[in-house]
Each structure stands twice: as structure tokens, then as C-alpha cells.
Amino acid sequence: MTESTMHRSDQSAYAEHLLNEAEYQQNFSDIHTPFSAHSAVVEADRCYYCFDAPCQKICPTGIDVPGFIRMISQNNDIGAAGKILSENIMGGTCARACPVETLCELECVRNTQDDSPIQIGLLQRFATDQASASGAEFFTREAASGHRVAIIGAGPAGLSCAHRLATLGHEVVIYESQEKAGGLNEYGLAAYKMAGGYAQQEVAAILSIGGISIKHGMKVGENISFAELQTNYDAVFMGVGLGASKALQLEGEQASGVMNAVDYIHRLRQIEDLGQLPVGQNVVVIGGGMTAIDIAIQIKRLGAANVTMAYRRSQQDMNASMEEQEFALSEGVRIVHWAQPVGLRIEQQMITGVEFSNGQGPDTDTYTLPADMLFKAIGQSLASIESGTIEFAKANGRIDVDAQRRTSQPGIWAGGDCVAGGDDLAVSAVQDGKLAAISIHHTLIQNQA
Amino acid sequence: MIDLKSTFIGIQTPNPFWLASAPPTDKAYNVNRAFEAGWGGVMWKTLGEAGPAIVNVSGPRYGAWHGKDRSLMGLNNIELITDRDLEINLTEIIQVKKDWPDRGVVVSLMVPCEEQAWKDILMRVEDTGADGIELNFGCPHGMSERGMGAAVGQVPEYVEMVTSWCKQHSDLATIVKLTPNITDVRNSARAAVRGGADAVSLINTINSIMGVDLDQMKMSPSVGAQGAHGGYCGPAVKPIALHMLSEIARDAQCKGIPISGIGGVTDWHDAAEFMALGATNVQVCTAVMTYGFRIVDDMIDGLSRYLADQGMSSVDQLIGAAVPSVTDWNQLDLNYVVKAQIDQNSCIKCGRCHIVCEDTSHQAISTEINGERGFEVKDEECVGCNLCVNVCPVENCITLRELHDEVDPRTGEMVSAEYRNWTQHPNNSMA
């Protein structure tokens, strides 16, 4: 939580503990009911085990979806998990948080037949949950290579890269600014998608391979310089994510009650007592992506009376999937389209309303929505990385990488949300980390020869 | 709605749906419930000779083969003939027949292969007023070890001998129940005909072991430390039953003997298929042991509607209607040519047709249409084998198209309208 956007004084303006303990428990528990062993087998049996399966082809990590589902149908849950994790070490998180309705489940051929895709996400979760409950281990390390690789950021990209490098026999040191590893899995995804401390459980499983150490509280450019990393390690991978929330560029944005959605979620994910979070009566969320949906639903579930998501363009233009939008609507969130914020109403340094124009819509009238809390969820941009000492080629404001996830700087690879061309999904970050690790490995081996 | 009344060797019943001689017909309680539900007749569970009662195991008697959603595909059992006292059974049969005069009650019998033993039991059954007897020459487990059941049914001479005893010593209509655990069922059926049987019924259950418990490393189900093979029945055996049924139906030496069809009959479709291949009525067991007697409701309604749809006025018109369509391989028309065709509008692009054809058959399905992922039949490779049709998850997506007056791209030859079977084929050196 950045202090600039949330002062202690903000708290006093809002009621605390709007709900009782049982309600908080209910509202932030696991959003999905996991499969039982029987229902998993029955669902797996629905899978047609397609040849050249579209679900596998669309998965950014290329998981052999028909293959793992067939294993579940044969009661080989652990084998299924092995198949998943060999391509996607964060298969557990992706099973919970992937927008499957826009990826594998969208491509399922059963949509064409009966409008009812195989529930691939839940099956993947079943297999990975069974595997973690069993304590099964799938990976061993190759003989020590003698190479050391530095990774910046212990998020999905960094951890994926680290794990693959560790299996290939390299030593990995991860520099992480936060207290916990996991990146957005720990600090960014909606709480009800990652219930039960799953992010840390998965991090522990990944680290159990050995050969990976994490230095927390380390920010490159502050506690350690890029130059030091380049000197002390044989290769560097950057999985720094996006640091800076985009601003509305409106007057009064510093007022109390105006917050970045990601900062609030960050705090929500770490807080012991949800009742201590400030919750407004009339909450407006600006944005049309997953973060906007996530903050809107979570603030509603924290007890906000009225939550309105305001998006500047049409429904079709929203980045959030139709399923996510419908989920928000079913939670009582109101979604307004063609709503371009043009002004903030501030009284006594406190937000009281947001003025919108439907400038891109059919007419150009302006109107004001009352708001005692305003969330900005209009995207994030790359925070500067030790500016001045090292420059990376960029594309669309993010680091430009090639197919092997190499940056313009020799010896430095990058992946995850900080690189251009991605889709800001954990699953893509995992793939970036994996591809970078393979590239780093080949480079190190070649240099050796 | 068409009336389903049925006449089988003179026994009139309101419908052709009977319960097979098995646990569901072991006592009056069950049979009364079956008749209340609407069943047309029952084959009373096999009676043995008077004397010490049969002893069944107190462990598992049944084992099942399940689909993934626990749908029951096959069942096997090691239960013996009735383990209730003969007198109790006979008393109940008398009462049941009295209470249900419009339903069929046939008593299944199995006694040692001695003329006197059969004489004794026949006299007792005659006194019950039952409509007939069914000779259990089929039970493959337990009793067969004692020289009864399948042990008789597997020797045509015994089948003929015991059948003739029954016809000689009683006036009861006599049905001979055949075992499928033989090489050619016609030999058993012909023996029954020679012995004077009024009808045959088939199939009884098939020798089987359901599986192995891989944790305990023993066959399953087992009675304590060991198990024994049982009789297999249920939906899985239907194709075997249909084949054997049709073999008898089209066998000249069986002289059109009436047949009661048994073996995996689960719904009205199955019943209609059995009847089309020559059965006068059908007997059901596994289906009621899976769902209860109430399923007869759907069977009655479904068959009646089907007959109406077909323009048939009675079940008799269905009996044997498809028998002429069954022949020997050497009579098949080798000039008949079909090609698979995929309806691109209903294709869901799962690719199963391609991969099975590519890996296991004729490499006749391509994976691209105009550069896009899609599946199409290569007529020049397709032999019309029907495998793609069978593995396609979408009904009627892949069909077989008949070739007429055109060149078969596979052979480069004109398709001939002339019928030519193997006995007429130039490649047949025996022709």
C-alpha cells in the first residue's frame, strides 16, 4: 500500500466492520467449489481427447490438456498434475485465476456441440490439489552447472524462470522488494480466487526443488545496482511486473478517498481483519479490465452499499471477459459504459463525486455520480528501473524482448507483465519465465563450450 | 397407442416383457411387485429337487463393470438356484398364478440329469397351474460343477434327452434355456428341437471374471480370500445375445421354433431389436436389478409408440422382421461401395476421426481445409469402413455415402450395380 494514496485519516471517514465475521468469511472464501474425485472423473470422461487439441494450442504454456484430463479419467491424478506442472509450474494458481472462458474453455470443441465446455480449470485444480495433498514430487535437479543467475522479482515470471533454471542445475538468487514471494498471486489476484493462502503454498512447492534463494526487501536500484548483478551473475532475468498505476490526470486526484485499485487489493490480501479496511457507501471504479472487476466485487463484498464500474467505451471493448462482467453484475455491481471521467468533486479534501461525459458515446452530456470512494483501475505502466544506468529497448512502454525473451541488453532476459506483447496474465508470465530459462540455459552451456 | 398383447407358445400376456429366471423372481413378494408394476410374465427363479436347501455364499454375489459415471454396463453373479424350500416356492407359485391370471408364470427347473428326478419335479409343477417350464441348461457357475445347468446345455445329446423326458412326462409347455458358453449355439438349439421343445430362450449368462483388485491382488469380487467365475449379463452382452438369437432364427433345422430373447435387454429399443431378430418376447433381469421394476412403464409406452410410428398393429408384426437382413459374410455384396463424408456444419473439429484413421486404418482423413484446421475424407483412400462414424462424438456428423454409377477414386474402377459376393468373386480360387 503506498502511503500517498491511503492515509490513516482516510479511515476515519468510513465505517468499519460493516459485516460480521461469518459474512467476511463467506464473502472471501473460495469462489469455486472444487471437484470431488467422482465428479472429476465424470467431467474428465466428457473430454473428447481431441487430436491437435485447440485447448492445448491456445494455452500460453501449452499444457497437454487432453492428456492430463485423460489421466484424471483413469484415476491417475498425480500423473495428471505432473503433466500440468511440467509445462506450467504455477498450474495451481492458473487453475484458480486463469480466465479460462477466454482461453482453453473457450476453445473446447464441446462449445460447438452443446455449449458446455469441459471444465478444464476445475479439472486442473483437482489434479494439482491432489498432487499437493499427496506431497508428490515431480522434479529433480540436474548436476550443478556452476552457473549463477540473478532474477529480479519473485512473481510468476521470476519463479517460473527460477524453477526451470534450478532443474537444469543452475543456482538462482531472486531479488524481491516485497516481504513475500508470489508477486500478484500473493498481492494482486482477488482474495476469493486464492483463498487459503494458496499463493504461499505454491511458492513453497516451487522452492522445494532447491537451488533457489530469495532475498526479500531488495529493490534493484536502491539496495543493489544492476551493475552489481551483471558482475556477480552469469545471467539476469527481470520479472519486475508493472509498478506504477496510471493516473486519471484530473484535478483533485490526491484527495482522500481516491485510490489505486491495485494498492487497495494489495492491502486487502495481506490484512488479518477485513473489517479494518475502509469501505465507502458510494464507490465508483474507473476501468474496464480484470482489476476493475476484482476491486468492484471485493469492495461490494466488503459491504459497500453502491458500487459502480464506469468504463469509457462500450461493453465489447472491455478487457474483462463477459463471464467476469456477468459475475460482477450478479454481485450487485452496476456497470456504466461510455463514461469518461472529466472531473472530480472534492469537498474538504475528500472525494464526493465523479463527473462523467459520455464523450465517445452517442451524446456528450455530462453527469455526476456521487462517490465517497473512487478506485482507479485503468492500468499500470512500467516503473523506471534504475533509470540512467541501463536502457532497454521498449515497445508500447514496456521492455521489448525477442521470442526467447532476450532484452536488447546482452545477458539480460525479461518476462511477465513488464515486457511488451503480453496479455498481463499469470499464465503468460509463467511461459515467459520458462522460455527465458531455456534460453539462458542454452546460452550458458554454449558459452561454456 | 398399440396394444402390446403377446402370445408365446400359447401363453397370453398383456405385453411381451417378462422377467428372467433370476433373483427378481425368487419369491411371491418380488413377483407380485413386478406384476403390479406391469410386467407381462415371469420365469420363476429356478427350482431344484426336494431335499436339503441350496446354500449360497454370504459374501458378494454380484460384480459390475461401470462406466465413468457409475452407469452399469455389465453385471455378473455367482448366485445359485433358489435357496428357498421347494414347498414354499410351489405354494407361492399356486397363489401368484391365482392372483394374476392374465400374466405368464413359467417355472424354471434344474435337477440332476436323471429321468426320475425330472419326473418328480414335473409332477409337482403341474399341480401349481403354472403356464409352463423353462429348463435351466445355462447357469454357468456353481451348479454346472455339479453336472447341472450349463454342464447339460453344453452337450447337445443331454439337451435333447432331458427335453424329451419333460415332454414325455408332462403336458407343460417346455422352453429350453440355452447357454452361450458353447462354440455354436445352433447345435444346442437343434437338440432342443429334436427333443420336442416348444421354445428356446437365450442367452443365459457368460462365464466371466469382472476384474482384479490391484491393491489386494485378487480377483473381484471375491468371497474372502478367493473368488470364482460368474455369469455375465447386462447391456454389455446384448450384441452376443443378438447374434446367437439370429443364428437360431435363421437356421432351417431349428424349424422356426419360438424364441424368448434374453441378454442385456434394458429398454424398449433393445426389446424391439430382439424381437426384430426373431424373439417372440423378451426377458429382463439386469435392468430391473439396476433400476427396479418400474422401468416396464417406459418399455410399454415406448414400444407401443414405436409400433404405431411403424404402422404396425401388433407386436407379432415385429417378430423376425429383420431376420432376412442377417446373412453370412460370403453373401455380402462386394460391389457395394460407400465413402465416409463429414458434414462440416455439424463437425466440432475434435479430430478423432483423423487420428484413428491415420494411426490405425487407411490414412483417409486430412487435417486441413483451405489451410484451416478441419477434417475431410480423402475418397481415394477411404474404404468405407465406418470407424470414423463410430468414433465421432456427434451423431450423424459423419455418414456413409453410397456410390452409384461413378468411379471409385480408390480403385479407379466404375462402381457396378451388379450384386457380386465372394463365392462369385474372381479372386476366390474356390469359386
Side-chain angles (χ1 to χ4, degrees):
Chain A
M1 180 98 241
T2 53
E3 291 305 316
S4 61
T5 55
M6 173 67 73
H7 303 283
R8 279 305 294 173
S9 59
D10 291 342
Q11 298 270 156
S12 57
Y14 306 105
E16 286 190 7
H17 290 98
L18 291 169
L19 309 175
N20 65 38
E21 194 48 45
E23 287 169 325
Y24 285 121
Q25 192 78 39
Q26 165 77 25
N27 290 354
F28 289 88
S29 64
D30 205 328
I31 194 172
H32 293 296
T33 308
F35 276 137
S36 67
H38 176 72
S39 50
V41 167
V42 172
E43 184 65 11
D45 192 45
R46 290 182 65 232
C47 172
Y48 288 143
Y49 194 49
C50 293
F51 163 77
D52 190 27
C55 53
Q56 177 176 4
K57 282 204 280 197
I58 201 168
C59 175
T61 56
I63 291 173
D64 177 2
V65 176
F68 92 72
I69 291 180
R70 186 164 170 78
M71 284 178 157
I72 292 175
S73 81
Q74 296 165 14
N75 303 108
N76 183 3
D77 310 332
I78 308 300
K83 228 179 218 313
I84 294 161
L85 298 174
S86 68
E87 291 298 343
N88 181 341
I89 194 62
M90 289 196 162
T93 284
C94 292
R96 289 163 167 77
C98 246
V100 287
E101 67 275 9
T102 64
L103 294 169
C104 52
E105 292 186 13
L106 175 71
E107 291 291 300
C108 179
V109 301
R110 271 203 178 256
N111 286 306
T112 322
Q113 188 184 22
D114 52 19
D115 210 22
S116 164
I118 305 299
Q119 297 180 70
I120 299 167
L122 278 176
L123 285 172
Q124 179 165 320
R125 172 155 177 196
F126 175 76
T128 50
D129 280 358
Q130 293 296 107
S132 48
S134 77
E137 287 179 8
F138 299 101
F139 302 96
T140 51
R141 295 190 69 195
E142 285 178 17
S145 67
H147 294 295
R148 298 175 77 233
V149 179
I151 289 177
I152 310 170
L159 286 168
S160 164
C161 186
H163 185 269
R164 184 58 65 113
L165 287 168
T167 61
L168 294 168
H170 309 296
E171 285 291 315
V172 180
V173 179
I174 307 181
Y175 293 85
E176 168 59 49
S177 64
Q178 300 289 334
E179 279 174 34
K180 294 182 188 171
L184 291 178
N185 297 1
E186 174 62 40
Y187 295 104
L189 294 173
Y192 40 72
K193 288 181 184 166
M194 298 292 283
Y198 185 73
Q200 291 312 303
Q201 189 186 319
E202 189 176 56
V203 166
I206 291 170
L207 297 181
S208 70
I209 183 79
I212 305 170
S213 61
I214 303 182
K215 294 181 187 297
H216 289 281
M218 297 294 281
K219 201 158 187 183
V220 176
E222 287 178 16
N223 329 66
I224 185 162
S225 71
F226 237 113
E228 282 175 83
L229 294 181
Q230 286 176 293
T231 308
N232 296 337
Y233 295 92
D234 301 313
V236 177
F237 175 80
M238 292 200 305
V240 295
L242 298 171
S245 287
K246 287 182 182 162
L248 296 171
Q249 315 284 8
L250 294 175
E251 195 160 333
E253 210 165 328
Q254 302 307 315
S256 285
V258 181
M259 300 175 236
N260 290 321
V262 292
D263 296 334
Y264 190 92
I265 294 171
H266 185 291
R267 185 171 172 204
L268 187 159
R269 285 293 306 274
Q270 301 303 312
I271 203 163
E272 287 280 325
D273 177 7
L274 290 167
Q276 288 178 2
L277 288 167
V279 177
Q281 279 282 305
N282 296 306
V283 181
V284 172
V285 176
I286 311 265
M290 294 279 285
T291 304
I293 295 272
D294 283 353
I295 188 64
I297 295 171
Q298 288 179 109
I299 199 75
K300 185 79 185 157
R301 287 188 168 204
L302 283 167
N306 303 305
V307 179
T308 305
M309 251 182 85
Y311 178 60
R312 66 196 166 98
R313 284 185 287 168
S314 77
Q315 184 186 43
Q316 287 73 37
D317 297 318
M318 290 177 82
N319 274 333
S321 70
M322 199 53 95
E323 281 78 358
E324 291 280 344
Q325 294 178 45
E326 280 167 10
F327 178 38
L329 291 170
S330 74
E331 291 284 308
V333 171
R334 185 172 154 231
I335 304 180
V336 183
H337 301 103
W338 299 111
Q340 172 80 42
V342 292
L344 304 181
R345 295 282 167 83
I346 311 290
E347 284 170 28
Q348 297 176 327
Q349 281 135 44
M350 178 81 201
I351 184 91
T352 61
V354 187
E355 191 180 351
F356 290 98
S357 134
N358 35 17
Q360 293 186 44
D363 58 64
T364 55
D365 289 347
T366 63
Y367 58 93
T368 300
L369 292 178
D372 56 357
M373 192 171 257
L374 173 66
F375 286 110
K376 294 179 281 182
I378 53 173
Q380 289 180 282
S381 53
L382 189 62
S384 61
I385 305 159
E386 202 185 9
S387 56
T389 65
I390 191 159
E391 281 299 327
F392 295 101
K394 304 264 178 60
N396 299 322
R398 302 196 193 184
I399 301 169
D400 195 22
V401 289
D402 66 8
Q404 294 179 44
R405 306 305 188 260
R406 291 180 294 204
T407 68
S408 57
Q409 290 286 346
I412 303 178
W413 284 255
D417 292 355
C418 67
V419 303
D423 49 17
D424 294 350
L425 295 175
V427 64
S428 298
V430 171
Q431 179 70 355
D432 287 347
K434 182 173 94 185
L435 292 177
I438 293 165
S439 175
I440 290 168
H441 174 69
H442 287 311
T443 305
L444 295 178
I445 296 301
Q446 267 165 19
N447 292 349
Q448 204 172 323
Chain B
M1 298 292 279
I2 305 300
D3 192 320
L4 296 183
K5 67 174 181 291
S6 158
T7 306
F8 175 64
I9 54 172
I11 308 167
Q12 303 217 340
T13 54
N15 60 57
F17 305 126
W18 288 56
L19 290 175
S21 166
T25 61
D26 191 30
K27 52 187 188 294
Y29 180 82
N30 306 72
V31 173
N32 284 328
R33 286 178 65 85
F35 285 157
E36 281 158 21
W39 289 88
V42 300
M43 301 287 174
W44 199 280
K45 182 166 165 96
T46 310
L47 308 184
E49 61 183 343
I54 288 289
V55 178
N56 267 303
V57 298
S58 294
R61 297 177 192 188
Y62 307 113
W65 175 43
H66 289 114
K68 297 293 181 193
D69 200 8
R70 298 288 289 179
S71 59
L72 195 145
M73 331 277 283
L75 188 74
N76 92 339
N77 86 91
I78 55 165
E79 190 174 281
L80 303 179
I81 62 173
T82 185
D83 52 14
R84 302 190 320 142
D85 185 73
L86 177 63
E87 301 304 325
I88 295 173
N89 273 306
L90 293 170
T91 309
E92 288 186 0
I93 291 167
I94 292 167
Q95 190 61 45
V96 166
K97 187 60 206 175
K98 258 186 205 150
D99 293 345
W100 299 93
D102 68 327
R103 310 299 170 92
V105 177
V106 166
V107 180
S108 174
L109 296 176
M110 183 197 289
V111 295
C113 237
E114 295 153 12
E115 191 166 3
Q116 190 57 46
W118 282 95
K119 232 170 143 175
D120 292 346
I121 192 81
L122 289 166
M123 282 167 56
R124 302 302 311 273
V125 176
E126 277 191 335
D127 295 342
T128 61
D131 297 301
I133 52 173
E134 184 183 62
L135 312 186
N136 182 343
F137 294 162
C139 242
H141 51 268
M143 303 309 287
S144 55
E145 295 171 11
R146 306 175 198 178
M148 291 180 270
V152 177
Q154 284 165 338
V155 183
E157 291 76 12
Y158 292 170
V159 171
E160 182 179 347
M161 177 178 72
V162 178
T163 307
S164 63
W165 289 341
C166 293
K167 289 311 293 179
Q168 195 183 326
H169 298 302
S170 89
D171 295 328
L172 290 162
T174 302
I175 305 157
V176 175
K177 186 167 179 178
L178 303 176
T179 175
N181 300 308
I182 35 76
T183 48
D184 187 340
V185 77
R186 290 175 301 184
N187 293 330
S188 322
R190 289 166 185 165
V193 171
R194 286 195 303 272
D198 297 289
V200 293
S201 57
L202 76 165
I203 58 173
N204 205 310
T205 56
I206 302 170
N207 287 334
S208 59
I209 286 178
M210 295 311 293
V212 175
D213 181 329
L214 291 171
D215 294 322
Q216 298 190 49
M217 204 43 79
K218 61 182 183 182
M219 66 162 284
S220 69
S222 56
V223 180
Q226 292 181 303
H229 81 268
Y232 196 42
C233 52
V237 311
K238 177 184 147 190
I240 297 166
L242 286 177
H243 162 248
M244 292 189 168
L245 164 69
S246 70
E247 285 294 282
I248 295 170
R250 66 192 189 91
D251 182 50
Q253 293 178 53
C254 287
K255 299 171 185 166
I257 189 167
I259 307 169
S260 182
I262 317 168
V265 177
T266 302
D267 57 33
W268 72 265
H269 291 96
D270 298 331
E273 289 176 59
F274 273 75
M275 294 175 78
L277 284 184
T280 301
N281 66 12
V282 292
Q283 301 180 29
V284 175
C285 174
T286 306
V288 295
M289 292 188 75
T290 309
Y291 304 110
F293 293 137
R294 60 207 163 123
I295 60 167
V296 75
D297 220 30
D298 307 333
M299 297 177 80
I300 291 169
D301 191 81
L303 184 62
S304 178
R305 288 179 194 281
Y306 168 76
L307 292 176
D309 288 348
Q310 297 297 310
M312 295 184 185
S313 56
S314 78
V315 292
D316 296 339
Q317 287 176 277
L318 183 56
I319 298 165
V323 172
S325 73
V326 182
T327 189
D328 293 336
W329 194 96
N330 69 22
Q331 296 301 303
L332 301 179
D333 183 3
L334 298 175
N335 279 341
Y336 177 77
V337 179
V338 292
K339 300 287 175 190
Q341 56 180 4
I342 301 171
D343 171 19
Q344 296 301 332
N345 290 325
S346 58
C347 174
I348 60 171
K349 298 186 173 60
C350 67
R352 285 167 66 157
C353 56
H354 162 77
I355 196 61
V356 296
C357 192
E358 193 69 16
D359 280 354
T360 72
S361 294
H362 300 90
Q363 296 77 49
I365 298 178
S366 58
T367 57
E368 272 190 7
I369 301 174
N370 303 326
E372 300 268 306
R373 185 173 183 275
F375 301 91
E376 210 164 39
V377 176
K378 298 182 240 175
D379 282 352
E380 64 277 16
E381 304 294 342
C382 178
V383 302
C385 74
N386 206 34
L387 178 65
C388 55
V389 176
N390 290 323
V391 302
C392 177
V394 182
E395 251 178 294
N396 301 320
C397 172
I398 309 181
T399 49
L400 298 178
R401 177 178 69 86
E402 287 183 15
L403 269 56
H404 298 291
D405 302 325
E406 57 190 296
V407 172
D408 176 351
R410 185 176 70 87
T411 60
E413 287 172 17
M414 197 71 184
V415 174
S416 167
E418 191 192 333
Y419 167 86
R420 183 174 69 181
N421 67 38
W422 176 241
T423 66
Q424 305 155 334
H425 201 280
N427 288 20
N428 181 359
S429 54
M430 311 289 282

